[in-house]
Amino acid sequence: MNYELFIAKRIIASKEHKNSVSSPIIKISILAIAIGIIVMLFSVATGVGLQKKIKEKISGFNGDIQISNYDSNNSRVTVSPILKDQDFYPEFTTVPNVKKVQAYATKAGIIRTPNEFEGIILKGVDKDYDWSFFAEYIKSGQPPILTGKVSNEVLISAKTAGRLSLKKGDEFHMFFVKDDPNKAPNSRKFTVSGVFDSGFEEFDEAFIIGDIRHIQRINKWKDNEVGGFELFVYDFDQLRETGFEVYEQIDASLNAYTIQEKFPAIFEWLSLFDTNIIVIIGIMILIAGINMITALLVLILERTQMIGILKALGNNNWSIRKIFLYNAAFLIGKGLFWGNLIGIGLLLIQKYTGIITLDPETYYVNQAPVYISIPALIWINLGTLSLCVLMLIVPSYIVSKISPVKAIKFD
């Protein structure tokens, strides 16, 4: 039998312990740990959730890796065509981390309605385009159907639709300027097949999505020529390495770059979340540890006579210290239980209701996203418990300073 653990359980279960002077201090310590866990869970779940959601949206609009001509300009418009007949299309078998390859092309134009006009980019996609990204963001209608003849259907953002007073089923004209400004622009008539709202205004306001064959005809490209390729990967954490592998495998006239290279400012901003999360966790554990040190010292002071009796009976200092450390670990565990129960409950409410909203112009999402990771949850709890107990080892040394003779007479 673990002697120290047995004594600690008796202290915890005793009525005197529950009604003692230390009771309010113990409750405050448990509350501090519970609040600390709630804050840590929220910082990790929302921080990681925001990182994943923004990465997902950038990938959805651009792919994880893009392949284009070296002589393409730095704008979002594809100028020089690439032959569709590539060794890596439609499957990039030589790079294991590449999940999917899809062709695209972009063309800048102006949408004209009877009352408004808007400059925008038509992103042309092929019939193999993966629409799964837009599934959760489509507010009305559906993605364009690109099988058979050239489709005039386009998917438009809610922001653009609102400014131009368009809705599902409406028709509009889009004009594309020719290289020779003296010639009349190309005109295409499109129909709104669906309206989406991803919350990422930088992309929502910039693109409409339709049939790539329109861009091929306007640019006088052949049927097997496209603007570029979008690649999606299985493991985003290996994106940098995969980007190098892709670059080595493609033709020397082509360039490959990751979305991290294309949008460095956004990803540098996202990397700051890791630092924030670490700082918050450190502060919360420090606060919880300080509260537990206070509680431990009060417990020791309150049990001074018991410590004297145990020493008189032959117990060594480390054995008595272990009794109080077990007691403190139980209190920490109690705080962890309530913190996890309340924290996970609040996170689930946020995940399924989206009560906490954010400004999409600043955070690229309209509500705080939540990502609950079981490994992260386990590490937060184990780390908090371990570090708090370690912080209590030094204060528990006060037990060795208590004299048995004086402690037994202590009142």
Side-chain angles (χ1 to χ4, degrees):
M1 181 181 70
N2 189 326
Y3 166 73
E4 293 86 0
L5 181 59
F6 173 77
I7 298 294
K9 286 180 178 179
R10 294 296 299 270
I11 294 173
I12 293 164
S14 66
K15 291 183 179 180
E16 290 181 7
H17 174 71
K18 295 176 182 177
N19 299 319
S20 63
V21 176
S22 63
S23 181
I25 297 173
I26 290 171
K27 289 176 182 177
I28 291 171
S29 300
I30 293 172
L31 180 62
I33 291 170
I35 292 173
I37 284 293
I38 293 169
V39 172
M40 284 188 276
L41 291 179
F42 257 86
S43 65
V44 172
T46 56
V48 175
L50 192 61
Q51 288 177 321
K52 286 184 174 293
K53 203 65 177 177
I54 293 174
K55 289 175 184 176
E56 175 190 304
K57 289 184 178 183
I58 299 175
S59 298
F61 281 103
N62 301 275
D64 297 317
I65 302 170
Q66 286 190 343
I67 297 175
S68 64
N69 266 317
Y70 260 117
D71 58 355
S72 294
N73 56 21
N74 293 324
S75 71
R76 295 175 174 177
V77 178
T78 53
V79 178
S80 302
I82 303 173
L83 286 175
K84 195 175 179 181
D85 304 323
Q86 301 285 343
D87 294 337
F88 57 78
Y89 183 79
E91 293 183 1
F92 212 131
T93 54
T94 55
V95 180
N97 195 34
V98 175
K99 177 172 60 176
K100 183 177 177 60
V101 182
Q102 56 193 28
Y104 77 98
T106 52
K107 184 76 173 176
I110 298 173
I111 297 176
R112 187 75 173 90
T113 64
N115 301 313
E116 301 287 344
F117 66 92
E118 181 88 10
I120 206 157
I121 296 172
L122 170 64
K123 179 177 180 179
V125 297
D126 213 341
K127 53 182 175 291
D128 63 349
Y129 187 76
D130 184 5
W131 295 100
S132 58
F133 164 72
F134 289 96
E136 67 174 295
Y137 301 119
I138 291 181
K139 301 301 180 182
S140 63
Q142 62 183 14
I145 299 173
L146 304 180
T147 57
K149 63 179 183 179
V150 180
S151 173
N152 292 324
E153 294 182 337
V154 293
L155 190 65
I156 191 170
S157 75
K159 284 281 184 183
T160 303
R163 283 200 295 264
L164 299 174
S165 301
L166 294 172
K167 61 182 183 300
K168 177 186 175 296
D170 286 352
E171 296 180 342
F172 63 88
H173 284 88
M174 189 168 179
F175 298 92
F176 302 91
V177 179
K178 293 181 178 178
D179 294 334
D180 186 351
N182 295 319
K183 293 184 178 180
N186 289 302
S187 175
R188 290 293 186 275
K189 188 177 183 180
F190 293 117
T191 302
V192 178
S193 67
V195 178
F196 72 92
D197 183 10
S198 73
F200 206 130
E201 295 189 1
E202 182 177 341
F203 294 120
D204 284 7
E205 296 176 349
F207 293 100
I208 64 171
I209 304 170
D211 197 327
I212 193 173
R213 288 171 287 187
H214 283 293
I215 298 177
Q216 289 172 331
R217 293 183 180 184
I218 293 170
N219 290 342
K220 294 183 172 58
W221 293 351
K222 297 177 182 178
D223 291 342
N224 67 336
E225 290 181 327
V226 297
F229 298 92
E230 294 176 344
L231 281 62
F232 295 87
V233 300
Y234 288 104
D235 185 1
F236 193 89
D237 293 334
Q238 300 297 319
L239 182 62
R240 180 181 172 84
E241 294 79 3
T242 305
F244 285 127
E245 290 182 50
V246 168
Y247 180 79
E248 291 173 357
Q249 296 294 327
I250 60 178
D251 190 85
S253 63
L254 301 178
N255 187 25
Y257 47 90
T258 67
I259 54 173
Q260 291 175 333
E261 296 170 318
K262 189 173 183 180
F263 305 101
I266 294 177
F267 281 92
E268 285 175 9
W269 174 66
L270 289 178
S271 66
L272 293 176
F273 280 78
D274 295 329
T275 304
N276 294 342
I277 290 170
I278 292 170
V279 170
I280 290 171
I281 290 176
I283 291 172
M284 290 298 104
I285 291 177
L286 182 62
I287 292 172
I290 292 171
N291 277 275
M292 283 310 305
I293 289 172
T294 304
L296 178 68
L297 294 176
V298 172
L299 283 172
I300 291 172
L301 181 63
E302 192 177 52
R303 296 280 173 174
T304 302
Q305 286 185 333
M306 185 194 80
I307 294 170
I309 294 170
L310 290 174
K311 282 192 173 185
L313 293 173
N315 285 79
N316 59 43
N317 289 322
W318 176 238
S319 176
I320 299 172
R321 288 169 67 187
K322 282 170 68 177
I323 293 172
F324 289 98
L325 289 175
Y326 279 132
N327 199 339
F330 169 79
L331 299 177
I332 295 169
K334 196 172 181 180
L336 292 177
F337 171 78
W338 287 109
N340 282 281
L341 186 65
I342 297 170
I344 294 173
L346 293 174
L347 287 173
L348 291 174
I349 291 172
Q350 172 62 24
K351 183 174 183 177
Y352 293 108
T353 63
I355 294 174
I356 302 174
T357 58
L358 299 174
D359 181 6
E361 291 186 3
T362 304
Y363 295 98
Y364 306 109
V365 292
N366 49 27
Q367 65 183 43
V370 171
Y371 177 75
I372 301 175
S373 169
I374 300 301
L377 187 66
I378 293 171
W379 278 111
I380 287 172
N381 282 274
L382 288 178
T384 303
L385 177 62
S386 302
L387 290 174
C388 284
V389 171
L390 286 172
M391 289 172 69
L392 296 176
I393 290 177
V394 174
S396 68
Y397 184 73
I398 195 173
V399 168
S400 62
K401 300 296 183 181
I402 296 175
S403 168
V405 175
K406 293 180 180 180
I408 293 172
K409 295 191 296 181
F410 179 79
D411 189 0

